[in-house]
Amino acid sequence: MAEHALKSPFLREAEARGYIFQCTDLASLDAAMCAGPVTGYIGFDPTADSLHVGNALAIMMLRLMQRHGHRPIALMGGGTAKIGDPSFRDEARALMSPERLAANLVGIESSLRQFLDFESSNSGAMLVNNADWLDRLSYIELLQDVGVHFSISRMLSFESVKQRLEREQGLTFLEFNYSILQSYDFRELNRRHGAVLQMGGSDQWGNIVAGIDLVRRTDARQVFGLTTPLVTTSSGAKMGKSAKGATWVNAAKLPVFEYWQFWRNTEDDDVGRFLRFFTDLPVEECTRLGALQGAEINEAKKILATEATAICHGREAAEAAAETARQAFETGTLTADLPSREIPAALLNEGIPAFRLFAEAGLVASNGEARRLIRGGGARLNDRPISDENRLIGTGDLVEGALKLSSGKKHHLLLRPRT
RNA sequence: GGAGAGAUGCCCGAGUGGCUAAAGGGGGCGGACUGUAAAUCCGCUGGCGUGCGCCUACGUUGGUUCGAAUCCAACUCUCUCCA
């Protein structure tokens, strides 16, 4: 990206942190942001009932806007979720039921509220749902109003759909319309709330510029697009997505301790970059911490974990998670703050085979998996390896009123009997 | 509407009548080594009781056969080309 000697504090910091991948007109946007508060938005698809760390960079963008006195809008795609964005996807998403969608919207909203302040009037941050306008669109009107401005050949030329076609996976007309609706969103937010900037991941470039074109053609206004880079780990994996599941930001789906652990386990080479991306620490400090070598970088990882967790779950919860981790890993002590779960006291009174207890606790998915874990030497009870998968565990094994079960070195769970 | 190709376990991908719970790879989990990292190496990787089994599984439903992921029929869906 060419250097424009950016003047606006927001863009200067965004650039320093590496948030900017592409921008439609950086110089003009810079000028607009110097002239006064700018309203910008990012859309979030309610494909699950919580956001995950893959959405974190987008959230950080909105927060940064808020910190610099601009107005962020978080748009929930309650309407577009009924279509499904085909961008860079191999195949169409399965459509979700209305109940599921409603539940997801509730979860996404609570995710967003963890990061952004939508209440205080001075910031003016807003949370909106595009179902509010998309749901009542009339087909013919939409085609005449918006459809005429879209060129099929142009749409086909976008990399985001080209790949799909080249892979011979097909693209239905339903999905093909996603871009049109997202463009409509931009225009709507511009008209309703004066939004002049749409941000998003680099995979959204095509959808974003389509919206910019629409606003220019129908309303003769210049609006802007800005994308963030795709965050991958140094070893090339998409961040925060494992087969086991995404790293969720809602505590109901992922305990704060686990969230903290996710960041604590960042690869060495990613520490500096992730500090800049996912914390509010000054850029110079991030760079300094990321440059630490060898075992020293572990201290930087702890800072990263606590800072990133504080933004999501609050300072207090983050500090508690840090302390829990310190005790669990550095002193090997059992602490009350590990993720915990209750089991019927009757199970312990009678005594329960070890493999069954692990499955019951949810630490493994099945009895068979529990047996394999124990046979593989990865299961521990109160920090001591379990050698016999059928060993009976009862009330005599309680330590301070709880059982500490461990799967491997990193997954711990406290089980408390419930009478 | 016509012609052709295809649908396999979390994913990719072999397998074309029994030796197939199904090669290989990826991913995941566990172990070793370390620094709660990466890389590397080793083991495991459908469920239930367990070392002898039972159940479920190769798009769906039927059929042929002692026996089918493998053969036949119909159906569903996807892709390619044609109209």
Side-chain angles (χ1 to χ4, degrees), chain A residues 22-89:
Chain A
Q22 279 177 297
C23 182
T24 52
D25 186 347
L26 200 54
S28 301
L29 178 60
D30 192 34
M33 294 191 118
C34 286
V38 160
T39 300
Y41 85 99
I42 297 181
F44 297 89
D45 275 343
T47 52
D49 60 358
S50 167
L51 292 180
H52 52 85
V53 294
N55 304 114
L57 206 52
I59 295 169
M60 294 304 287
M61 271 296 215
L62 294 180
R63 292 181 75 256
L64 190 64
M65 282 191 80
Q66 196 163 36
R67 275 204 281 137
H68 284 289
H70 298 291
R71 183 166 71 142
I73 298 177
L75 170 69
M76 298 193 293
T80 35
K82 295 166 188 166
I83 306 290
D85 187 359
S87 297
F88 297 101
R89 300 201 116 249

Side-chain angles (χ1 to χ4, degrees), chain A residues 12 20 25 41 82 205 215 256 292 329 344-345 360 366 409:
Chain A
R12 288 174 71 96
I20 301 176
D25 186 347
Y41 85 99
K82 295 166 188 166
W205 182 255
V215 175
V256 176
L292 293 174
F329 287 99
E360 191 76 28
S366 67
K409 289 173 185 157

Side-chain angles (χ1 to χ4, degrees), chain A residues 45 80 83-87 89 93 175 178 182 203-204 207:
Chain A
D45 275 343
T80 35
I83 306 290
D85 187 359
S87 297
R89 300 201 116 249
R93 281 195 178 100
E175 294 176 276
Y178 187 91
Q182 185 165 330
D203 60 333
Q204 291 300 308
N207 290 331

